[in-house]
Amino acid sequence: MILDDFVGRAIGRPFRPHGRGPDAYDCWGLVCAAYRDVLGRELDDYGGEYQTLKDVDRLKGIFARECGDTWQQIEHPEPMDVAVIYRRGRAIHAGLYLGAGRILHVEHGIETVIQPADAFRIEGYYRPA
């Protein structure tokens, strides 16, 4: 599957905690599904490492561990790179960079949508190693 096909299927899908698609996603589930469907690559799920979105310290720990240990930080993102985004003062949200300054993401209260990157406070862009 190509990225544009994945995006077309994902747009408008609702948020669901621990959603891994294709009917609903959480932010990390959306990224995992894109990597699986477009690149044929399985990313770590992390679903068992947090109970709810209120577990912000656990979510922050997951992102800090991966961004520091496993992923390569990218200065100039390319399509399929992961945008790590601040929410509630912590880097606990993820989106998929699509190119041309656009990010595909989903979160509580927002269906899967494309938004401009400058609409977010981005901690950094990463490429899983």
Side-chain angles (χ1 to χ4, degrees):
M1 172 182 301
I2 63 170
L3 179 57
D4 288 344
D5 292 340
F6 176 82
V7 171
R9 272 192 4 212
I11 292 291
R13 299 290 180 189
F15 172 87
R16 185 178 72 220
H18 298 280
R20 296 299 182 254
D23 297 324
Y25 301 100
D26 67 8
C27 68
W28 186 247
L30 180 67
V31 170
C32 287
Y35 269 74
R36 180 185 61 241
D37 294 353
V38 176
L39 300 177
R41 181 170 176 201
E42 294 292 332
L43 297 179
D44 288 334
D45 181 82
Y46 305 117
E49 292 191 41
Y50 66 97
Q51 295 299 313
T52 72
L53 296 176
K54 294 180 182 179
D55 291 338
V56 292
D57 289 331
R58 286 186 181 165
L59 291 169
K60 180 183 173 190
I62 293 167
F63 281 104
R65 181 179 67 235
E66 289 307 307
C67 294
D69 297 341
T70 307
W71 301 348
Q72 175 186 6
Q73 188 165 13
I74 305 299
E75 188 172 329
H76 302 287
E78 297 177 7
M80 296 295 297
D81 287 337
V82 178
V84 175
I85 301 166
Y86 285 102
R87 288 290 186 255
R88 295 181 245 157
R90 297 178 177 103
I92 60 171
H93 182 53
L96 188 69
Y97 186 74
L98 300 177
R102 301 170 305 138
I103 293 177
L104 180 71
H105 80 112
V106 63
E107 61 184 306
H108 182 73
I110 299 174
E111 295 176 341
T112 306
V113 64
I114 298 170
Q115 290 187 290
D118 62 9
F120 302 102
R121 185 168 164 232
I122 297 174
E123 185 276 334
Y125 293 97
Y126 295 86
R127 190 170 297 147

